[in-house]
């Protein structure tokens, strides 16, 4: 009842405040949490981890450098590729970092 008696400016301010709260909890906060998890995942990469790149290449990490990693794609032929750390999408066990 009090909202019906409030001025249109106050009602509009409350409406915009409510919309912001909804956006924060359903869009902004989950995105920040996802970015934090991705950063932690990339920092924890180590030799021997089985990974999948954002391009769909499966392999095992051989060497971890500052910004890149060396991934062995085919162990029988010794095929190794260098990727940026940010190109790693998930580990082979299925723990997703980006979708």
């Amino acid at each position: 009842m009090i909202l019906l008696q409030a001025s249109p400016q106050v009602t509009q301010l409350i409406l915009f405040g409510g919309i912001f709260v909804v956006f924060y909890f359903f869009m902004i906060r989950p995105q920040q949490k996802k970015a934090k998890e991705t950063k932690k995942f990339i920092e924890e990469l180590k030799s021997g981890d089985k990974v999948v790149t954002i391009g769909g290449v499966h392999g095992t990490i051989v060497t971890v450098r500052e910004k890149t990693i060396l991934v062995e794609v085919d162990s029988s032929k010794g095929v190794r590729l260098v990727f940026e750390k940010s190109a790693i999408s998930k580990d082979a066990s299925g723990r997703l970092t980006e979708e």
Side-chain angles (χ1 to χ4, degrees), residues 48-62 69-76 78-83 87-96:
D49 287 349
K50 294 182 185 287
V51 295
V52 180
T53 68
I54 57 176
V57 177
H58 293 248
T60 304
I61 296 177
V62 177
I69 59 169
L70 182 64
V71 177
E72 187 168 50
V73 180
D74 186 1
S75 59
S76 64
V79 178
R80 294 178 174 186
L81 301 171
V82 177
F83 289 98
I88 302 302
S89 174
K90 59 183 176 179
D91 67 7
S93 67
R95 182 175 59 145
L96 298 178

Side-chain angles (χ1 to χ4, degrees), residues 11-96:
T11 306
Q12 189 174 19
L13 184 64
I14 292 172
L15 179 65
F16 282 128
I19 290 172
F20 177 76
V21 168
V22 169
F23 268 97
Y24 178 77
F25 282 106
F26 288 105
M27 297 180 81
I28 298 169
R29 188 166 181 235
Q31 201 64 8
Q32 290 173 337
K33 185 178 177 186
K34 186 84 155 170
K36 185 186 261 188
E37 289 172 358
T38 301
K39 182 180 178 186
K40 182 180 175 198
F41 171 75
I42 289 174
E43 288 173 352
E44 293 177 349
L45 290 174
K46 61 187 179 305
S47 185
D49 287 349
K50 294 182 185 287
V51 295
V52 180
T53 68
I54 57 176
V57 177
H58 293 248
T60 304
I61 296 177
V62 177
T63 306
V64 178
R65 299 181 186 126
E66 187 177 335
K67 293 184 180 182
T68 61
I69 59 169
L70 182 64
V71 177
E72 187 168 50
V73 180
D74 186 1
S75 59
S76 64
K77 296 182 182 176
V79 178
R80 294 178 174 186
L81 301 171
V82 177
F83 289 98
E84 292 287 325
K85 283 185 175 181
S86 61
I88 302 302
S89 174
K90 59 183 176 179
D91 67 7
S93 67
R95 182 175 59 145
L96 298 178

